[in-house]
Amino acid sequence: MTWAAAGALLRRFWWTVPMIGLLAALHFTRTTVADRTATLRTERAAWTAEIAKAEQLRLDAEKRFASQQAAALTTYADRLAAREPIILRSTETVRTYAQTDAGRAACLPADRVRGIDALDAELFTGDPARSRGGDQAMSANGSPPAS
């Protein structure tokens, strides 16, 4: 084949050169896209596993918090129940309770109560709010109010 024949063939089939270049580029692009797709799938699988792990940790923390909260509420309710005062409704119940060890400490005899009142009176002798005469009884035959 001479140079003239090769030039004639090239002029006639010039479009094959860019087509071969485009096919080569398509082949390299497909392999590159396949590699990147595989990489993205691997990363997506890893992230999905991490998200599932984080979700499980969050659910475990919520369960643990719910059980701790229930235990704390139970403990708080038990402490409140232990601090509830004993409400005595009858005189006989008071006498029976006063005979127990706990009742002897809680039920004060009348002279102890009067002793507390006397102590209060001693403590507040210099109090100007109490010295205004508010503790004194009113007379029954006072003057009628002005009309």
Side-chain angles (χ1 to χ4, degrees):
M1 179 180 280
T2 65
W3 285 103
L9 260 174
L10 185 61
R11 267 185 268 144
R12 182 168 175 136
F13 296 107
W14 65 268
W15 50 269
T16 57
V17 176
M19 290 296 267
I20 291 171
L22 286 173
L23 284 173
L26 178 64
H27 175 70
F28 290 127
T29 304
R30 289 179 104 193
T31 57
T32 305
V33 169
D35 289 344
R36 289 185 183 165
T37 304
T39 303
L40 287 174
R41 283 187 184 144
T42 306
E43 287 179 5
R44 185 176 292 143
W47 276 107
T48 304
E50 287 297 319
I51 289 170
K53 183 180 175 184
E55 184 69 20
Q56 185 61 40
L57 288 173
R58 185 185 65 81
L59 290 174
D60 291 344
E62 284 180 0
K63 287 178 187 176
R64 192 170 50 251
F65 175 72
S67 64
Q68 288 174 349
Q69 189 176 24
L73 288 173
T74 304
T75 304
Y76 180 70
D78 291 344
R79 286 181 182 172
L80 276 181
R83 286 192 290 176
E84 282 278 327
I86 298 172
I87 300 172
L88 304 173
R89 304 207 184 277
S90 70
T91 308
E92 185 60 35
T93 307
V94 172
R95 285 189 192 123
T96 306
Y97 180 68
Q99 292 172 357
T100 64
D101 292 334
R104 280 189 210 101
C107 299
L108 298 176
D111 59 337
R112 293 264 328 260
V113 174
R114 287 189 198 102
I116 291 172
D117 290 340
L119 179 64
D120 285 344
E122 287 177 23
L123 287 174
F124 296 113
T125 53
D127 189 9
R130 293 181 65 97
S131 64
R132 290 187 193 140
D135 293 337
Q136 300 169 358
M138 292 182 63
S139 61
N141 55 1
S143 61
S147 52

